[in-house]
């Protein structure tokens, strides 16, 4: 597996700022993975994404895209990347289909628009003006637009924000399928559910620096408690006990509860991504 992006000592400063917004970060995004960049507002996530999609080019450091210097790549770059911005941008007085036909004109090759719109439940509304769409419909159409050119790399910013659970699941299933077919995804989000369900690796961005580049599973193991909580019925009451995970299979008291009591729940000490987010970002703010 090769690197889709390799970033070394990336720094960037807006002309209106006194200090760098991005302060010497280094990371890579592997081909065929979903890489999540998390962090509080103003941490530098959007700036990093804008640099990677060549909207901001006055940076220092090195960025390679599939082994080529990003600055040396011309307009052909945009044939290979799809971008879904957090705020959907469409022509509100045009229908959804008219919007998609217009944006398709920017690319040499395009995806099957009907298939994409059917997947997100918008095909039957294709001739409705986008101005009459609900927020959730606009979000889904924004995703279709990002996929128009069959991108090699997909950049998504808060991709499910504003969607109900059913439609959020549809988009996440499409994204997972895209990854399984070899696509690469760079995801920025505040929604920890999306992180747990989608990301292969994540990094936390705080004050222009990166912390804890790892997998969600490894972070849960690092920040979680190695213990097991068991809830059980005894004489009509619900009781609970907590046991250390080490040697749990040989713990006689734990085994006795399993054998003799009516078990209601068993939980490991696994922490949530929300808790990890707060611990990591709060610890360096």
């Amino acid at each position: 597996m090769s690197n889709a992006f390799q970033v070394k000592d990336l720094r960037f400063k807006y002309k209106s700022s006194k200090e760098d917004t991005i302060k010497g970060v280094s990371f890579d995004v592997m081909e065929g993975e979903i890489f999540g960049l998390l962090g509080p507002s103003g941490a530098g996530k959007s700036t990093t994404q804008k640099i990677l999609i060549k909207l901001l080019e006055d940076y220092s450091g090195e960025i390679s895209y599939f082994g080529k210097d990003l600055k040396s790549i011309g307009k052909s770059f945009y044939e290979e990347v799809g971008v879904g911005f957090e705020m959907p941008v469409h022509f509100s007085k045009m229908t959804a289909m008219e919007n998609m036909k217009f944006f398709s004109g920017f690319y040499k090759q395009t995806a099957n628009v009907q298939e994409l719109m059917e997947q997100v439940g918008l095909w039957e509304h294709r001739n409705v003006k986008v101005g009459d769409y609900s927020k959730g419909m606009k979000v889904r159409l924004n995703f279709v637009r990002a996929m128009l050119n069959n991108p090699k790399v997909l950049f998504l910013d808060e991709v499910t924000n504003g969607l109900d659970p059913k439609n959020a699941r549809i988009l996440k299933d499409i994204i997972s399928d895209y990854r399984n077919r070899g696509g690469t995804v760079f995801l920025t989000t505040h929604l920890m559910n999306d992180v747990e369900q989608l990301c292969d690796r994540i990094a936390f961005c705080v004050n222009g620096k990166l912390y804890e580049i790892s997998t969600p599973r490894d972070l849960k193991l690092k920040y979680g408690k190695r213990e097991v909580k068991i809830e059980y019925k005894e004489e009509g009451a619900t009781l609970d006990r907590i046991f250390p995970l080490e040697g749990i299979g040989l713990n006689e008291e734990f085994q006795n509860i399993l054998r003799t009591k009516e078990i209601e729940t068993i939980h490991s000490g696994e922490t949530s991504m929300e808790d990890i987010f707060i611990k990591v970002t709060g610890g360096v703010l």
Side-chain angles (χ1 to χ4, degrees):
M1 187 180 294
S2 61
N3 286 323
F5 284 97
Q6 191 166 31
V7 180
K8 295 181 180 179
D9 196 28
L10 176 64
R11 297 177 183 274
F12 180 84
K13 185 172 77 71
Y14 290 100
K15 292 181 179 179
S16 58
S17 299
K18 294 182 179 180
E19 62 177 33
D20 288 348
T21 299
I22 306 299
K23 303 172 182 178
V25 303
S26 299
F27 65 96
D28 54 44
V29 180
M30 303 298 293
E31 181 181 9
E33 79 167 343
I34 299 177
F35 184 90
L37 186 60
L38 318 179
S41 298
K45 303 185 304 299
S46 295
T47 298
T48 301
Q49 187 182 61
K50 287 177 182 177
I51 292 171
L52 293 182
I53 60 177
K54 293 176 68 70
L55 288 183
L56 297 173
E57 295 194 324
D58 191 19
Y59 60 83
S60 64
E62 299 178 14
I63 303 177
S64 64
Y65 172 72
F66 288 97
K68 298 180 180 179
D69 182 2
L70 185 63
K71 287 185 176 180
S72 71
I73 305 173
K75 293 182 179 179
S76 62
F77 176 76
Y78 297 104
E79 293 288 339
E80 298 187 1
V81 299
V83 182
F85 294 106
E86 179 180 2
M87 298 299 293
V89 180
H90 302 109
F91 297 104
S92 60
K93 294 184 179 180
M94 293 168 59
T95 68
M97 197 63 187
E98 288 170 341
N99 269 272
M100 294 304 100
K101 287 182 178 178
F102 174 79
F103 291 117
S104 293
F106 293 119
Y107 305 111
K108 295 177 181 178
Q109 295 183 345
T110 57
N112 185 321
V113 175
Q114 178 176 343
E115 182 179 333
L116 286 172
M117 294 187 73
E118 286 177 344
Q119 284 182 305
V120 301
L122 291 178
W123 182 245
E124 61 183 295
H125 308 289
R126 62 190 180 279
N127 294 321
V128 176
K129 290 184 179 180
V130 174
D132 294 328
Y133 268 24
S134 67
K135 179 181 178 181
M137 294 170 75
K138 290 177 181 176
V139 170
R140 284 180 278 156
L141 188 64
N142 193 50
F143 180 76
V144 172
R145 177 182 167 183
M147 297 289 286
L148 274 179
N149 57 325
N150 282 321
K152 188 175 182 179
V153 180
L154 186 58
F155 289 88
L156 298 173
D157 188 7
E158 303 292 356
V159 64
T160 65
N161 191 27
L163 295 182
D164 60 77
K166 178 182 177 181
N167 282 305
R169 167 51 62 191
I170 290 172
L171 257 61
K172 284 185 276 193
D173 285 345
I174 296 172
I175 294 167
S176 294
D177 181 64
Y178 169 82
R179 185 269 314 278
N180 293 338
R181 291 184 283 108
T184 304
V185 182
F186 187 90
L187 175 72
T188 55
T189 183
H190 288 97
L191 302 177
M192 296 300 106
N193 249 355
D194 289 2
V195 172
E196 292 196 62
Q197 294 172 12
L198 289 174
C199 293
D200 299 299
R201 289 190 303 138
I202 59 176
F204 291 93
C205 184
V206 187
N207 291 331
K209 298 181 180 180
L210 295 191
Y211 299 85
E212 295 286 13
I213 302 177
S214 188
T215 67
R217 179 183 183 278
D218 286 347
L219 287 172
K220 285 188 173 185
L221 290 174
K222 178 178 179 178
Y223 287 94
K225 297 178 180 179
R226 292 188 58 76
E227 62 186 26
V228 175
K229 180 179 180 181
I230 184 169
E231 295 182 327
Y232 58 94
K233 285 284 190 181
E234 185 173 272
E235 297 180 353
T238 298
L239 305 178
D240 65 74
R241 287 295 308 277
I242 296 176
F243 297 93
L245 191 59
E246 285 78 9
I248 191 70
L250 300 176
N251 189 302
E252 292 185 5
E253 186 178 359
F254 177 77
Q255 295 294 335
N256 183 59
I257 291 174
L258 291 180
R259 287 193 303 266
T260 64
K261 306 299 181 183
E262 180 185 346
I263 308 302
E264 291 196 328
T265 64
I266 299 178
H267 300 283
S268 71
E270 181 179 283
T271 190
S272 68
M273 287 305 304
E274 285 88 350
D275 289 338
I276 295 172
F277 181 97
I278 293 169
K279 288 178 181 178
V280 174
T281 61
V284 295
L285 285 175

